[in-house]
Amino acid sequence: MKVILTYGTFDLFHVGHIRLLKRLSLLGDRLVVGISSDSFNEMKGKKSFFSYAERAEIVSSCKYVDEVLPENNWDQKIDDIKKYGVTCFSMGDDWIGKFDYLEEYCEVLYLERTEDISTTDIKKKLSLISQSELEKIESSLHDVIGIVKSLNIK
């Protein structure tokens, strides 16, 4: 059985994440995804919009993913490779060379990232939305929720 392992933050889950997970799943029989824990993100100086538990639930619901585990530190990769019987470790090509030391334990593969989409870009675009625009969006959402509640048939 060929087991693929990857890691990521997977904040603001988007089509780039889906495409990556799909490509990874096609490489083997089982896809295991390590997701950066909130404490690990804090150590890296990062803050996710969604908590680890929420990100883990989102990623684990993806049909391409067989198992999700928390990534708590940089050093756990070798232990995870051994524990899950990993045959291929893969990351995006923005990490080329960083994990070559794992070749002692399994194949290491760097995949091209999906062009024109990243969580960082999404966060930048969202930060440009004005307070008044946010208030209009919130009001519209409340209107939609009210309509949906009124249609609730029991």
Side-chain angles (χ1 to χ4, degrees), residues 53-148:
E54 292 167 320
R55 290 178 286 120
E57 184 176 342
I58 291 166
V59 173
S60 66
S61 71
C62 178
K63 69 180 182 178
Y64 304 115
V65 176
D66 296 296
E67 188 165 349
V68 166
L69 60 100
E71 180 184 23
N72 297 307
N73 60 68
W74 291 111
D75 301 323
Q76 78 183 66
K77 289 174 180 59
I78 293 171
D79 289 338
D80 289 345
I81 287 168
K82 292 176 181 177
K83 178 178 179 180
Y84 293 94
V86 172
T87 52
C88 179
F89 174 86
S90 185
M91 294 290 286
D93 61 3
D94 52 329
W95 290 95
I96 286 179
K98 300 274 197 257
F99 299 107
D100 290 353
Y101 70 95
L102 297 174
E103 289 175 345
E104 180 180 335
Y105 304 94
C106 64
E107 175 187 5
V108 175
L109 181 64
Y110 300 98
L111 295 180
E112 194 173 309
R113 294 176 58 94
T114 304
E115 282 189 45
D116 300 325
I117 188 158
S118 75
T119 301
T120 302
D121 290 343
I122 292 169
K123 286 181 177 181
K124 283 179 187 175
K125 288 176 186 174
L126 289 173
S127 72
L128 298 175
I129 298 173
S130 70
Q131 185 63 36
S132 64
E133 288 175 289
L134 285 174
E135 289 169 3
K136 287 178 189 174
I137 292 168
E138 183 180 12
S139 175
S140 296
L141 288 173
H142 286 296
D143 291 345
V144 169
I145 290 168
I147 291 168
V148 170

Side-chain angles (χ1 to χ4, degrees), residues 35-56:
I35 299 176
S36 299
S37 66
D38 296 331
S39 60
F40 186 42
N41 275 342
E42 192 175 313
M43 288 187 326
K44 295 186 289 184
K46 293 175 80 174
K47 174 82 171 123
S48 291
F49 183 83
F50 292 108
S51 70
Y52 167 79
E54 292 167 320
R55 290 178 286 120

